[in-house]
Amino acid sequence: AQTVTQSQPEMSVQEAETVTLSCTYDTSESDYYLFWYKQPPSRQMILVIRQEAYKQQNATENRFSVNFQKAAKSFSLKISDSQLGDAAMYFCAYRRTPGTYKYIFGTGTRLKVLA
Amino acid sequence: EAGVAQSPRYKIIEKRQSVAFWCNPISGHATLYWYQQILGQGPKLLIQFQNNGVVDDSQLPKDRFSAERLKGVDSTLKIQPAKLEDSAVYLCASSLDPRAEAFFGQGTRLTVV
């Protein structure tokens, strides 16, 4: 069975600085997607960034980028120029393709941004 | 574009009572998911619908949980009878099809006392 591990329960970063959140996963599949979701206190899960496993190039969305190491089964999220609005829970998620395409989430990392 | 709507936002019930949650997905989205998020954990899939058919309910505690999606649009999730360990946030999500990105609602926070 696939598993997703986030080993950092909580991280802090100074405003305008850079922070990296870690995620590892375990799977025997070769075709899958990986995601980072943000969950603010409003509880709504918001997609931050997505990576297709067959793509070697790391995904980037504005201040957010990933370091995808397929052989190591590692998928870290880098947030540059951190802003107060980035404070939230961040969840790493795996989605197998094909199949039911259900998301498997990690336990989350709480990010605090210090002014 | 309207998002995934869920109600109620909060619910407090006593153990052994029943409760129901409602979800209205984004218009046109064929796939609907219900996730359970226990405090301190990531969301866990309870059930996945494709139109009005069940695709995956392997982690749904079927002795007390039930879900339906009539006419392939709105969905309800019911718990009867509730246990203390059912206290969690229940998230509904929808996507155009199983491969497309899922959009989440704001969830219902259930407290069982």
Side-chain angles (χ1 to χ4, degrees):
Chain A
Q2 295 87 9
T3 59
V4 177
T5 301
Q6 293 180 251
S7 58
Q8 305 156 316
E10 188 171 295
M11 294 282 286
S12 295
V13 63
Q14 288 290 140
E15 196 175 5
E17 296 294 308
T18 296
V19 64
T20 299
L21 308 184
S22 301
C23 172
T24 58
Y25 59 95
D26 186 26
T27 184
S28 58
E29 304 291 334
S30 59
D31 192 12
Y32 50 88
Y33 289 93
L34 296 165
F35 304 83
W36 278 98
Y37 275 89
K38 172 184 178 181
Q39 188 178 42
S42 67
R43 302 198 301 263
Q44 186 167 17
M45 301 284 277
I46 302 166
L47 179 65
V48 174
I49 200 165
R50 174 174 68 180
Q51 174 81 41
E52 290 90 342
Y54 65 86
K55 289 186 177 180
Q56 293 186 340
Q57 186 173 6
N58 290 325
T60 299
E61 288 287 342
N62 300 313
R63 299 183 294 107
F64 300 88
S65 61
V66 298
N67 183 4
F68 174 48
Q69 302 289 330
K70 191 172 184 179
K73 297 180 182 176
S74 170
F75 183 61
S76 61
L77 174 70
K78 186 172 82 171
I79 306 174
S80 303
D81 186 25
S82 296
Q83 301 175 0
L84 295 177
D86 295 333
M89 284 291 292
Y90 285 81
F91 290 94
C92 179
Y94 166 99
R95 194 184 203 192
R96 177 191 168 201
T97 62
T100 61
Y101 301 93
K102 71 179 182 183
Y103 290 85
I104 298 171
F105 289 88
T107 52
T109 296
R110 181 174 300 281
L111 179 65
K112 295 184 176 181
V113 181
L114 308 174
Chain B
E1 177 181 81
V4 176
Q6 290 188 247
S7 67
R9 291 285 321 267
Y10 303 90
K11 189 74 176 179
I12 301 174
I13 62 171
E14 296 182 347
K15 59 184 179 182
R16 292 187 290 274
Q17 285 187 324
S18 62
V19 65
F21 312 127
W22 172 82
C23 173
N24 178 231
I26 294 173
S27 178
H29 281 196
T31 308
L32 186 146
Y33 311 81
W34 282 103
Y35 280 85
Q36 180 192 56
Q37 186 177 14
I38 293 172
L39 184 65
Q41 300 181 18
K44 181 187 78 172
L45 180 70
L46 290 176
I47 189 167
Q48 177 181 341
F49 291 95
Q50 182 63 24
N51 295 309
N52 61 354
V54 175
V55 174
D56 186 343
D57 64 355
S58 57
Q59 297 192 87
L60 185 74
K62 298 181 186 61
D63 58 333
R64 298 184 301 105
F65 286 65
S66 65
E68 60 182 8
R69 191 182 184 196
L70 299 176
K71 301 180 182 178
V73 182
D74 292 2
S75 178
T76 56
L77 175 70
K78 297 179 181 178
I79 308 175
Q80 181 180 11
K83 294 185 175 182
L84 295 177
E85 59 261 34
D86 297 332
S87 294
V89 174
Y90 291 85
L91 293 165
C92 179
S94 71
S95 60
L96 277 171
D97 60 53
R99 292 168 294 179
E101 174 193 345
F103 293 84
F104 287 80
Q106 291 188 294
T108 296
R109 181 181 294 280
L110 173 67
T111 302
V112 183
V113 298

